[in-house]
Amino acid sequence: FVFYILCELDRYGSHIVGYFSKEKESPDGNNVACILTLPPYQRKGYGKLLIAFSYELSKQEQVTGSPEKPLSDLGKLSYRSYWSWVLLEILRDFRGTLSIKDLSNMTSITQNDIISTLQSLNLVKYWKGQHVICVTPKLIEEHLKSAEYKKPSLTVDITALRWTAPPKKAHKKHKNSTSAH
């Protein structure tokens, strides 16, 4: 596991606000194993900042990810709110055709998380065997005006991000494995 710890700095020093951990190599494609904001720091935007940071790291790794399930009730609310804001911002500014796969590649959010979020916003329909994004500028703006989907108070400055993904382990072949040519 790798741990990312967020601290608040004041004249008395550094104070742990929260953290998230992730497996170095998640077989399930999770970009967060555990996430926590300490009680005195909750409701201040730190949880969404940690979520946003985890997705910025996923973008750097060029992978999609999802938090390890099950999520707590507060975790579900925080993730759904973050995903909604990210997707609504893209859909508001985008002109042209956009697929769920495109959104996933742009955000590092898994296609399943995108579909469930768009369904909760009533922005996706199931038509001829596939999910189709159905939006109007008015509908997007109505959602963005809602307090539930407002821009997070704290955001990640990606221009200041200096990070290198941990090297992937080389998977060894089993002695008894053979390859067909």
Side-chain angles (χ1 to χ4, degrees):
F1 286 92
V2 179
F3 288 80
Y4 297 89
I5 300 170
L6 177 64
C7 295
E8 197 174 71
L9 185 63
D10 64 17
R11 61 188 174 138
Y12 302 109
S14 298
H15 312 281
I16 295 176
V17 166
Y19 76 93
F20 74 88
S21 63
K22 63 187 279 181
E23 293 177 87
K24 288 181 182 176
E25 290 191 37
S26 171
D28 300 322
N30 296 323
N31 65 347
V32 169
C34 183
I35 186 167
L36 171 81
T37 303
L38 295 172
Y41 300 99
Q42 291 176 357
R43 312 285 311 150
K44 295 182 178 182
Y46 290 121
K48 281 189 195 162
L49 179 64
L50 288 168
I51 291 169
F53 189 66
S54 74
Y55 279 103
E56 290 304 330
L57 296 182
S58 293
K59 288 177 192 175
Q60 296 279 322
E61 291 179 274
Q62 298 179 336
V63 298
T64 60
S66 187
E68 189 173 301
K69 312 293 189 295
L71 289 171
S72 67
D73 290 341
L74 190 55
K76 285 179 195 169
L77 283 172
S78 297
Y79 269 93
R80 179 58 51 88
S81 177
Y82 171 77
W83 292 331
S84 296
W85 175 74
V86 167
L87 296 172
L88 288 167
E89 286 288 310
I90 290 171
L91 292 171
R92 180 190 64 195
D93 298 333
F94 194 84
R95 298 292 172 258
T97 304
L98 198 56
S99 71
I100 290 165
K101 185 177 181 181
D102 294 334
L103 285 172
S104 182
N105 290 336
M106 294 165 76
T107 63
S108 285
I109 300 170
T110 65
Q111 291 185 44
N112 284 340
D113 291 336
I114 289 171
I115 290 166
S116 69
T117 301
L118 293 177
Q119 285 173 331
S120 76
L121 294 166
N122 257 344
L123 298 178
V124 71
K125 305 285 184 248
Y126 195 70
W127 187 66
K128 292 188 177 182
Q130 61 184 358
H131 291 93
V132 179
I133 302 168
C134 300
V135 298
T136 64
K138 183 181 178 193
L139 191 54
I140 298 291
E141 286 305 323
E142 284 176 17
H143 281 305
L144 285 170
K145 285 178 188 169
S146 159
E148 194 176 347
Y149 309 119
K150 68 177 191 262
K151 181 178 181 175
S153 55
L154 302 171
T155 56
V156 178
D157 178 0
I158 58 170
T159 63
L161 182 58
R162 304 288 177 264
W163 181 81
T164 304
K168 300 279 185 203
K169 290 181 184 175
H171 295 286
K172 294 180 181 176
K173 286 187 177 180
H174 296 291
K175 286 182 183 178
N176 297 337
S177 68
T178 59
S179 58
H181 294 282

